[in-house]
Amino acid sequence: MIKALLGILGVFGAWFIFIFFKDFMKNKNDLENNSWTKLISIGFITDFFDTLGIGAFAPTTALLRGFKQTNDRTLPGTLNVSHTTSVITEAFIFMTVIEVDAVTLVSMLAAATVGAWVGAAVISRFSEKKIQFTMSFALFITGFLMLAGKMGWMPGGGEAIGLTGMKLIIGIIGNFILGALMTAGIGLYAPCMALVYLLGMSAKVAFPIMMGSCAFLMPVASTKFVKEGAYDRKASMGITIGGVIGVIIAAYIVKSLPMETLKWLVMGVIFYTCVSMFMTASKNTETKDRKSA
């Protein structure tokens, strides 16, 4: 089943790469005025930490704007296009080297994909600020529960590589919601780590699930940006080149980490995302639901 899943992902990836490279070569003599060195470096750094579960969009936005490597008009398309190949690479690595129950993996990936597709119309109408505050609070509680388990204050986590029964249903519903929340700008990585941990699965299992979920979502959206020309071609190519290298190096580190160290890493990612999301929500001036705005 996992081989079939990888085959489908491979088709998605090849389709996106063909569209992306075709558009790049067509416009190679009319590229943006930015730096290959800076772009490749940005790709390496952001996708290195993306592979560790930090997420790539926020750091990439900060670095691109800080070094004046693109403009805000093309930023959404650039973020998606530049990281699609790296995320697909992450998914292939972790879905083949980390053991996870096939039924659990396939069902949770499908749930996230469907969630992003059919849930967008509902979630995207909610106030971004309210969602950010809610998610930051939920991540804090999860991080605290993980810390409590590590310190022996209460049991937490587990070593399972799959889910059955009610836990599987909760996992599917949870990943469906997380897929939908991506349409409101909420990253999937840290919440998915939290969901996996709270359901009693091994910390390593989060990596193929969260990266596989994003890998199936991104090619479709990114292809649309490419076809509309709504992205920075040079920035996307530079970040892609550096990003794939960063992914391969970081993946080796994740695969070789002892479980106890990995659990601390996951906990750190969750607390980092919690604080980052809370700070973003605090600065967000949007108070009304989008439906009424």
Side-chain angles (χ1 to χ4, degrees):
M1 187 180 293
I2 292 181
K3 287 183 177 180
L5 198 64
L6 289 173
I8 296 171
L9 181 57
V11 171
F12 274 36
W15 170 55
F16 163 74
I17 291 172
F18 172 76
I19 298 295
F20 177 28
F21 274 76
K22 181 181 178 181
D23 183 70
F24 181 85
M25 294 305 295
K26 181 180 177 181
N27 296 276
K28 64 180 181 179
N29 296 321
D30 189 30
L31 296 176
E32 295 78 5
N33 184 26
N34 35 24
S35 167
W36 281 113
T37 301
K38 291 179 180 179
L39 294 170
I40 293 173
S41 299
I42 289 172
F44 178 86
I45 293 169
T46 55
D47 280 311
F48 178 91
F49 286 104
D50 187 65
T51 310
L52 299 182
I54 298 298
F57 277 21
T60 302
T61 299
L63 290 172
L64 284 174
R65 297 187 71 185
F67 287 101
K68 296 180 172 59
Q69 292 300 296
T70 191
N71 59 69
D72 290 344
R73 183 183 63 82
T74 59
L75 192 54
T78 301
L79 289 173
N80 279 275
V81 174
S82 63
H83 290 296
T84 295
T85 304
S86 298
V87 169
I88 292 174
T89 303
E90 292 172 11
F92 264 96
I93 292 173
F94 288 112
M95 287 169 67
T96 54
V97 302
I98 294 179
E99 185 180 3
V100 55
D101 174 64
V103 173
T104 301
L105 178 63
V106 172
S107 58
M108 290 187 72
L109 296 194
T113 303
V114 174
W117 183 262
V118 304
V122 177
I123 297 297
S124 61
R125 293 175 180 269
F126 292 175
S127 165
E128 183 179 59
K129 185 173 184 176
K130 291 178 181 178
I131 294 175
Q132 289 169 336
F133 271 128
T134 301
M135 290 300 298
S136 64
F137 177 74
L139 287 171
F140 174 79
I141 295 299
T142 299
F144 176 79
L145 291 176
M146 290 181 68
L147 180 62
K150 290 293 296 176
M151 300 302 292
W153 301 335
M154 62 178 291
E159 302 300 326
I161 61 171
L163 301 170
T164 58
M166 184 54 65
K167 284 189 175 182
L168 178 59
I169 294 174
I170 294 173
I172 292 172
I173 295 173
N175 230 32
F176 173 89
I177 294 172
L178 296 182
L181 285 172
M182 287 187 68
T183 64
I186 306 299
L188 182 137
Y189 278 16
C192 185
M193 282 184 170
L195 177 64
V196 164
Y197 188 85
L198 291 179
L199 289 174
M201 286 193 283
S202 164
K204 283 190 175 182
V205 173
F207 287 84
I209 292 176
M210 68 188 185
M211 290 165 180
S213 298
C214 291
F216 274 91
L217 296 174
M218 291 181 71
V220 176
S222 296
T223 298
K224 184 176 181 180
F225 282 117
V226 171
K227 289 184 175 180
E228 294 179 354
Y231 76 112
D232 186 315
R233 294 181 177 89
K234 187 174 179 179
S236 296
M237 183 60 72
I239 293 172
T240 296
I241 294 170
V244 171
I245 298 172
V247 166
I248 293 172
I249 294 175
Y252 177 79
I253 294 174
V254 172
K255 289 187 293 181
S256 61
L257 280 177
M259 279 304 302
E260 290 305 307
T261 303
L262 186 60
K263 288 177 181 178
W264 282 107
L265 173 63
V266 170
M267 198 187 315
V269 169
I270 289 175
F271 276 123
Y272 165 82
T273 307
C274 164
V275 174
S276 176
M277 194 172 293
F278 182 83
M279 292 177 65
T280 301
S282 299
K283 296 176 182 178
N284 196 335
T285 57
E286 178 185 13
T287 57
K288 296 181 180 180
D289 284 358
R290 297 174 187 178
K291 183 176 181 180
S292 59

